[in-house]
């Protein structure tokens, strides 16, 4: 195994567990303990009853600050001193940007009051009265701004507090993740050097981590504290700002922001001024590139809200430069996966509160969830990146005035934001490690049988590890421990609720108990094989027809068209290689040929003519080809389901002005999920995970981007976003009295094209009645939505007002123009 270990040349890991940092060559994994004893470093909390005096002495070392615990010699700008919050608050409130906004808001209010007759221009003291009123308005706005600022900013006030907080949180975290936090020694040393240079230049390091758990920001703060780096200010949603916990987090690094800013220009400017202040002062900063936590295990598309503030700080010239550091955080097991499954199945997310926090925290203490693995990409200069991108756009960075508002500048900023967001995601994927649980989950969900013996499980994991290494990925677990120990440890961490074992057979047989929850861990590997998966699913349009090898061959042009279609379909779902479709397709095909999964036929010039399964792959029972298909099939199934649900947006024949009726977006997506659950239990859907809310939402987002559906958002926050099918995609109905939906037309052809890559087999009933049955069900559920939309309670929301109709026409026209000019593949 040592020869094939893809981590053999990697730098040693550092394990942070309690007080100690341990060097672990090549991601060493300790041998399993069978004595039932806890890790030695867990004794800090275990000794309270047996050695209370010793326990109190340990705590006092943190509170008083002894050695590294003092957190005195920190690389970065001064934090944790009395008056820090006041200093930051004063800087934000006095920022020219905010003062200008306050003056503008005061002017607007004065205009309104003047129109309402508060002032008369012919009065003798008109100017004096107006000036006095302006002063009163500005003072009022300033008072509101100060209150907002105080509620928002992080409060690095006390070293005694942060020492005690570090001790408390470390003990809690290492109770749950008993193998601690692992980082790469090479990456940490590089990060410290970058931090030293940034400190000298008074520049901020902006950490942009992936987000799978609430533990993400805890682990980052612990790493920075233990390694002597200035703690970053962490952007956090104010849903976590509940009594006791909110104040604790704010003093440990959290800055609270609203989940939605709406049209509040004062608040928006306040956030910008605060971020300017932090970056101008060289304070480290952290925000999650995906926005919220990923409920599916893979990276989410980037959210551009906070990124746009950061970019604006530099483009405006208010900040000279900042250092970007993408961060990957991986887990043996994520604490929240059970909650994620219930949310993905449509159960509303429960609002955070203190009681749940305390009860959840106490239950976490008894868990043994393995380890947390944090990897830091090589940091890069944001200023240099911006200049490089502008040069690529044939724009001279020196002559461009991006601080001036114009449609052209807005387009440039949007392009910069998009390229930056996806670069960060790509960087995160590049440094991510694959955990043992992800390997196990991936193998169990990509096998055709019900279960697998240990020897076969080990063989497929060995194959997968080799493929991860060949794709430039890294595995987190190899070193001196044998693979059998690693797999056993992974199975222990996943637990019997996710992976079961049947004893009393010729050999113990392992099987997926909760496929939905296990898919979270499978999705942690899919980014490595997305190109192979898309090619395999595109080939499946011919492979599923059966027959001999010649009958299953597919021409290069046909394959390319289907790969292009699927790539466009999943544009918002996956992060694709940046070299372009043609280059990536050829490269991936050659790789699959080298692995003897595919055979390529070429002409005399070496151009690929056709593709088929290799004889070696057929002899092996298609196991490697099937592996790639199994990775992508649940997503194809989910997108097919979303597309089928659109058929239900066809207005019933008896409904007058049906084309003018708009449906609540959330109701439409919930109906799609209900349709999927029904189809799964009736045998027309192969994967229950295909009904997950996130993938359905992503599909609806893609349909909106492509103009298949229109979505309108009202200025009135009480009216939810609404949608309807675009007229050119509207299916036809049987003109007879039945009015049944017909399986024809543009939308149906689109559904059929997705279906051509769907899995077929014993888990799904196929036949001539399928399309009729599925359409009837979609139509029945759709009719209920139209009935609710036209009820007296909802009638006002079901139709657009004149302003919304005009805005929609303008948006549709602009979107059509954008799609024409974009030069990208479309559905």
């Amino acid at each position: 195994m040592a020869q094939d270990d893809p981590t053999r040349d990697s730098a040693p890991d550092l394990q942070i567990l309690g007080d100690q940092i341990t060097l672990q060559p090549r991601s060493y994994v300790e041998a399993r303990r069978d004595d039932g004893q806890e890790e030695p470093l867990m004794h800090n909390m275990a000794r309270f009853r047996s050695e209370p005096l010793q326990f109190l002495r340990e705590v006092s070392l943190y509170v008083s600050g002894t050695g590294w615990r003092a957190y005195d010699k920190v690389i970065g700008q001064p934090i944790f001193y009395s008056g820090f919050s006041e200093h930051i608050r004063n800087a934000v409130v006095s920022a020219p940007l905010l003062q200008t906004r306050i003056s503008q808001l005061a002017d607007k209010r004065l205009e309104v009051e003047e129109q309402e007759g508060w002032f008369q221009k012919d009065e003798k003291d008109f100017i004096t009265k107006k000036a006095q009123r302006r002063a009163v308005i500005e003072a009022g706005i300033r008072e509101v701004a100060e209150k907002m600022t105080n509620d928002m900013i992080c409060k690095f006030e006390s070293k005694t507090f942060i020492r005690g907080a570090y001790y408390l949180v470390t003990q809690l975290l290492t109770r749950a993740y008993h193998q601690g936090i692992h980082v790469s020694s090479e990456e940490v040393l590089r990060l410290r050097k970058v931090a030293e240079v940034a400190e000298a230049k008074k520049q901020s390091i902006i950490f942009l981590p992936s987000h799978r758990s609430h533990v993400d920001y805890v682990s980052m703060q612990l790493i920075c504290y233990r390694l002597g780096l200035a703690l970053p200010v962490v952007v956090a949603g104010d849903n976590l700002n509940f009594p006791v916990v909110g104040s604790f987090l704010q003093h440990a690094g959290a800055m609270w922001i609203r989940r939605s800013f709406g049209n509040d220009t004062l608040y928006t400017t306040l956030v910008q001024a605060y971020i300017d202040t932090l970056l101008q002062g060289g304070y480290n900063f952290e925000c999650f590139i995906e926005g919220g936590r990923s409920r599916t295990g893979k990276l989410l598309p980037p959210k551009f809200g906070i990124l746009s503030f950061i970019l604006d700080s530099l483009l405006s010239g208010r900040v000279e430069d900042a250092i970007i550091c993408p961060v990957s955080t991986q887990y043996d097991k994520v604490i929240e996966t059970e909650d994620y499954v219930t949310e993905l199945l449509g159960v509303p997310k429960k609002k955070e509160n203190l009681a749940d926090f305390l009860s959840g925290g106490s239950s976490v203490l008894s868990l043994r969830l393995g380890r947390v693995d944090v990897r830091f990409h090589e940091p890069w200069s944001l200023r240099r990146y911006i200049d490089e991108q502008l040069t690529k756009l044939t724009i001279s960075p020196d002559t461009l005035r991006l601080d001036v508002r114009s449609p052209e500048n807005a387009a440039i900023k949007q392009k910069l934001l998009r390229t930056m967001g996806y670069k960060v995601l790509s960087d995160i994927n590049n440094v991510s490690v694959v955990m043992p649980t992800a390997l196990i989950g991936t193998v169990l969900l990509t096998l055709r049988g019900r279960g697998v013996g240990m020897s076969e499980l080990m063989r497929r994991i060995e194959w997968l590890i080799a493929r991860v290494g060949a794709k430039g990925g890294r595995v987190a677990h190899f070193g001196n421990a044998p693979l059998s120990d690693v797999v056993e440890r992974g199975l222990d961490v996943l637990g019997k609720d996710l992976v079961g074992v049947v004893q009393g057979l010729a050999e113990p047989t392992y099987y997926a108990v909760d496929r939905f929850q296990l898919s979270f861990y499978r999705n942690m590997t899919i980014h490595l094989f997305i190109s192979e998966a898309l090619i395999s699913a595109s080939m499946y349009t011919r492979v599923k027809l059966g027959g001999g090898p010649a009958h299953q061959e597919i021409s290069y042009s046909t394959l390319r068209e289907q790969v292009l279609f699927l790539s466009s379909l999943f544009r918002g779902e996956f992060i694709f290689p940046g070299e372009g479709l043609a280059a990536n397709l050829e490269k991936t095909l050659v790789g699959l040929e080298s692995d003897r999964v595919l055979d390529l036929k070429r002409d005399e010039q070496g151009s690929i003519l056709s593709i088929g399964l290799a004889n070696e792959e057929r002899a092996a029972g298609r196991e490697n080809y099937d592996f790639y298909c199994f990775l992508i099939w649940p997503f194809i199934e989910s997108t097919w389901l979303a597309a089928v649900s659109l058929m239900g947006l066809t207005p019933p024949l008896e409904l007058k002005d049906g084309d003018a009726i708009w449906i609540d977006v959330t109701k439409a997506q919930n109906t799609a999920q209900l349709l999927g659950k029904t189809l799964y239990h009736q045998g027309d859907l192969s994967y229950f995970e295909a009904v997950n809310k996130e993938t359905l939402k992503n599909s609806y987002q893609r349909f909106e981007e492509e103009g298949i559906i229109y979505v309108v958002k009202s200025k009135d926050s009480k009216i939810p976003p609404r949608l309807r099918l675009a007229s050119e995609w509207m299916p036809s109905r049987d003109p007879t009295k039945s009015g049944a939906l017909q399986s024809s037309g543009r939308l149906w052809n689109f559904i059929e094209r997705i279906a051509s890559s769907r899995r077929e087999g014993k888990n799904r009933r196929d036949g001539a009645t399928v399309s009729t049955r599925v359409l009837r069900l979609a139509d029945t559920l759709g009719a209920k939505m139209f009935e609710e939309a036209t009820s007296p309670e909802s009638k006002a929301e079901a139709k657009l007002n004149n302003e919304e109709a005009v805005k929609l026409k303008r948006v549709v026209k602009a979107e059509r123009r954008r799609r024409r000019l974009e030069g990208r593949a479309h559905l």
Side-chain angles (χ1 to χ4, degrees), residues 38 109 157 187 263 266 382 394 430 618 664 752 823:
E38 293 183 325
R109 181 58 200 167
E157 285 285 326
E187 291 170 5
N263 295 319
L266 177 63
L382 181 53
T394 66
N430 288 341
R618 291 180 181 279
D664 182 328
E752 288 285 88

Side-chain angles (χ1 to χ4, degrees), residues 534 566-574 576 632 635-636 639:
L534 291 176
L566 293 178
S567 300
S568 181
L569 193 66
F570 293 123
R571 189 181 295 162
E573 194 72 54
F574 301 109
F576 295 105
I632 196 72
F635 293 94
I636 292 175
T639 309

